[in-house]
């Protein structure tokens, strides 16, 4: 592994200062960063260790949601009683991501910041607009099956966003809290990750030296049920081919609120707002769910090896809505 | 980077299997290499070196972690348990004994990682008691010999669960 300078930060202010003016990277759990430094895909000259920052709590907000510290580990977040009860979809998404060892180290902020799994990005040599802007995209005409998107792609990049946690957060509704050289600010979770467009190397809304401190979740929808369905090549420790986070609230059998987000198929955590709008007021039937699934995947672009993801995602959506609605009814599933 | 501006070593202390170890390490040394090359505890194995296989799993403050993706400097002051620390006073831990009883290995290369990962599960109620729960919790430990069935049975024995598929 290449050499780098190391600074351990005690608070956010000293972290931002240590990061500033350097080719630096913030080091949280390191499960993506150290991997990519070993592969020489990321080449920081300084790592700023933020593991001792006091953003390690999960607090209830005045609005009835939760504020999650940037350094809360994925295992701790998934096992939190409030998350399991009020944000089942988030707990389930976390527990279906990576392996137990990785979840024990991976942090909330690090998961938001994780990089794509595209083999051409990770190999360090193939043309890749994300790694070397302007060098071309090897995936569009290459092997583009497992970790490649069908929604939000461009002529410059088709890598899928790899996170499960972020898909659940996109469905729940969340806010990213950020600090940096010019103070604190917040970014709506749905605006945080960027579409690749013609600048796939710009992946998120963070400015120079900015640091995520917390992610807050919107209050849970009263009486809703939620779930995360992840379809993949093997049943554990694998990235999604297609996944769906669904939150459904019912009045009798009529849908009063629906939240739908997709993973494995989008270049960012993909909120399916049109499908949600079409569900509200409908009866919670398989027909309505199939219609929503069709709406959600309407604009999808298939590539040579991943066209199967479009019907697969539709199935994930129907299944997730069915299960979430059953939970909203109080069925024990 | 040339030697003129090579990062300086960082003095750290690790409590490894109950013994305090003080060492000076460059920032880019991962815990796996610090344990094997500097402390001489070679029980922990290097497999993929990218967090995919689990052979390098150790316990850090009681939690299973891929030591290949953990910089040693980050763990200054932490409590590390490697496979060498599982036996006490020459007595195998109940989990190690269960691995023997169930022949839960073939070549044995992944075994240190399997044992440390499973040790975290022994007193952990957040992981359910079914064979499927154990398989899910252990999915970060790959066994290329395919001894999974016996590994699962050994863990179930050590956790005091009968399991559905006793071998």
């Amino acid at each position: 592994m290449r050499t780098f300078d190391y600074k351990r930060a005690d608070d956010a202010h000293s972290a931002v200062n240590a990061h500033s003016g350097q080719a630096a990277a913030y080091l949280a759990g390191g499960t993506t960063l150290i991997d990519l430094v070993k592969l020489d895909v990321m080449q920081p000259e300084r790592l700023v260790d933020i593991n001792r920052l006091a953003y390690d709590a999960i607090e209830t907000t005045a609005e009835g949601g939760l504020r999650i510290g940037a350094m809360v580990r994925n295992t701790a977040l998934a096992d939190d009683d409030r998350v399991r009860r009020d944000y089942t979809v988030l707990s389930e998404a976390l527990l279906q991501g990576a392996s137990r060892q990785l979840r024990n180290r991976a942090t909330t902020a690090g998961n938001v910041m994780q990089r794509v799994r595209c083999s051409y990005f990770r190999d360090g040599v193939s043309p890749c607009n994300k790694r070397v802007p302007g060098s071309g995209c090897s995936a569009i005409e290459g092997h583009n099956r497992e970790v490649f998107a069908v929604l939000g792609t461009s002529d410059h990049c088709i890598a899928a966003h790899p996170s499960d946690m972020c898909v659940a957060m996109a469905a729940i509704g969340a806010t990213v809290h950020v600090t940096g050289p010019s103070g604190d600010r917040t970014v709506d979770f749905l605006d945080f990750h960027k579409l690749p467009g013609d600048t796939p190397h710009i992946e998120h809304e963070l400015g120079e030296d900015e640091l995520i401190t917390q992610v807050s979740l919107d209050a849970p929808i009263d009486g809703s049920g939620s779930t995360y369905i992840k379809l993949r090549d093997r049943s554990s420790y694998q990235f999604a081919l297609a996944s769906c986070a669904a939150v459904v609230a019912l009045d009798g059998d009529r849908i009063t609120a629906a939240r739908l987000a997709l993973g494995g198929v989008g270049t960012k955590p993909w909120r399916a707002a049109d499908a949600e709008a079409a569900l509200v007021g409908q009866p919670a039937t398989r027909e309505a769910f199939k219609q929503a699934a069709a709406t959600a995947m309407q604009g999808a672009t298939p590539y040579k090896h991943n066209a199967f993801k479009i019907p697969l995602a539709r199935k994930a959506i129907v299944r997730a809505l069915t299960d979430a609605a059953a939970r909203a009814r109080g069925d024990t599933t | 980077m040339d030697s003129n501006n090579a990062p300086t070593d960082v003095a750290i202390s690790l409590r490894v299997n109950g013994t305090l170890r003080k060492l000076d390490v460059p920032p880019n040394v991962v815990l796996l290499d610090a344990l094997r090359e500097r402390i001489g505890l070679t029980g922990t194995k290097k497999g993929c070196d990218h967090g995919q296989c689990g052979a390098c799993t150790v316990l850090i403050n009681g939690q299973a972690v891929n030591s290949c993706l953990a910089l040693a400097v980050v763990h200054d002051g932490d409590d590390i348990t490697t496979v060498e620390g599982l036996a006490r006073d020459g007595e195998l831990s109940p989990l190690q004994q269960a691995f023997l009883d169930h022949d839960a290995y073939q070549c044995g290369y992944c075994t240190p990682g399997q044992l440390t990962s499973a040790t975290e599960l022994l007193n952990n109620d957040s992981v359910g008691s079914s064979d499927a729960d154990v398989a899910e919790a252990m999915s970060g430990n790959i066994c290329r010999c395919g001894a999974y069935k016996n590994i699962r049975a050994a863990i179930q024995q050590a956790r005091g669960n009968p399991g559905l598929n006793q071998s």
Side-chain angles (χ1 to χ4, degrees), chain A residues 9 47 51 96 112 129 136 147 149-150 152 206 210 259 271 274 291 293-294 303:
Chain A
L47 294 189
N51 280 284
Q96 289 178 70
V112 171
N129 290 319
V147 290
V150 292
L206 284 186
E210 278 191 324
R259 300 280 178 76
R271 178 85 172 258
D274 289 352
Q291 187 55 49
Y303 294 85

Side-chain angles (χ1 to χ4, degrees), chain A residues 214-234:
Chain A
Q214 291 154 320
V215 176
S216 54
L217 304 179
D218 291 358
I221 299 169
D222 277 344
S224 62
S226 73
T227 195
Y228 187 72
I229 298 289
K230 181 175 180 180
L231 304 175
R232 42 190 162 168
D233 282 332
R234 60 182 180 192

Side-chain angles (χ1 to χ4, degrees), chain A residues 258 260 271-280 288 291-297 317 321:
Chain A
L260 206 56
R271 178 85 172 258
D274 289 352
E276 292 174 1
L279 280 165
V280 174
Q291 187 55 49
T295 302
M297 298 309 294
I317 293 166
L321 287 169

Side-chain angles (χ1 to χ4, degrees), chain A residues 195-219:
Chain A
L195 291 172
D198 54 11
T199 53
H201 59 290
I202 301 172
E203 298 177 331
H204 52 71
E205 276 292 334
L206 284 186
E208 191 84 12
D209 301 322
E210 278 191 324
L211 173 70
I212 297 173
T213 56
Q214 291 154 320
V215 176
S216 54
L217 304 179
D218 291 358

Side-chain angles (χ1 to χ4, degrees), chain A residues 136-147:
Chain A
C137 174
S138 302
I140 288 175
E141 297 296 328
H143 185 80
N144 49 34
R145 181 183 173 274
E146 183 188 359
V147 290

